[in-house]
Amino acid sequence: MTETRAPAPPLRRADVHEAQRRLAGRVVRTPVVRSDDLDHRAGARLWLKAENLQRGGSFKLRGALLAVGELVAAGSRGVVAQSTGNHAIAVALAARELRVPAVLVLPTDAAPGKVRRIREAGAEVVLAGTLLAERVAEVDRLRAGRGLDVVDPYQNRAVVLGQGTATAELLDQVAAAGGGLDAVVLPVGGGSAVAGACLATAGQDVAVFGAEPSAVPALTEALRAAGPVTVPAGRTIADGLRPDRIGRLPYDLCHAALDAVEMVDEPEIAEALCFALLEARLLVEPAAATALAAALRLAALPRWRGRDIGVLLSGGNVDDTLVSVLLTRHLEDV
């Protein structure tokens, strides 16, 4: 007789709060930064959640610690994950902390700095193609061949809950400062950040916006198709937002709760990265700048002028050369 497993209960806002409790003392409670210059530029109050200052350089550590911890508690002897970079760094750090081996599958054109950080954490790096499907196939091969447990960046419930704690913290910190958010803006790659935000803001009067490069409109097209679809992936400097398909779990969690998704062009991403550095004194990667660019565009709309908008600055693992090039171009155009 085949044993049938009961479906997992739906994820709720309370699960994000429980994830916060489990992560207390294990992740940095990153600051929320305000900038008079950026507020003036936006015409709104921007509350910047500086996850570029998180351990591992991005908010991804939150979900990785929870997910790898659950696998180790269940007897895992090692983990494998695919990523364009930050999830891989986070899984490598979590695996080192929990003393299990980790293999991370990245695209062949992954940022060298991210590859270096993974290896410095003691994990093995495997390069596989440039598309999500190629990385997933390599993960399946490694899982079957080595007996590793998969830490999926989009389909793992613990990952989504962990990422949601960044938004939950942001809400708490703004409230502690005597404010209240009208909206939050998050970058969209595979969708775990925006899905976690939808959970964290459930039942509150806070609009949730996704921001993705117009070169890789995975969530935009999923909403049009009423489900995840694979999109042609164009070139983007936001390497953290290159997945060409939104995860099914994130889509199911966010599609009805999202207010909208903003598609951001490459010049806007580059400009927002420079604004973050020059006006808020925060060095962020293009994925985080994508959210800031979308927030600046949102703030220009009459509905949102003068309102309070939270922005998840998701990470700061950016190549020094890219920053130099973008900053030089920006200053030449001023």
Side-chain angles (χ1 to χ4, degrees), residues 189-200:
S192 61
V194 72
C198 288
L199 289 171

Side-chain angles (χ1 to χ4, degrees), residues 92-153:
L93 291 172
R96 183 178 68 181
E97 184 173 310
L98 294 163
R99 299 181 181 180
V100 293
V103 182
L104 288 311
V105 179
L106 277 78
T108 53
D109 57 354
K114 292 183 178 180
V115 174
R116 184 182 66 253
R117 294 198 70 173
I118 294 163
R119 288 177 171 149
E120 287 173 350
E124 178 184 349
V125 173
V126 175
L127 302 179
T130 58
L131 301 177
L132 174 60
E134 294 173 299
R135 298 195 301 277
V136 170
E138 183 63 18
V139 166
D140 287 342
R141 187 187 70 80
L142 290 165
R143 174 191 56 78
R146 300 197 195 180
L148 301 172
D149 291 302
V150 179
V151 186
D152 192 284

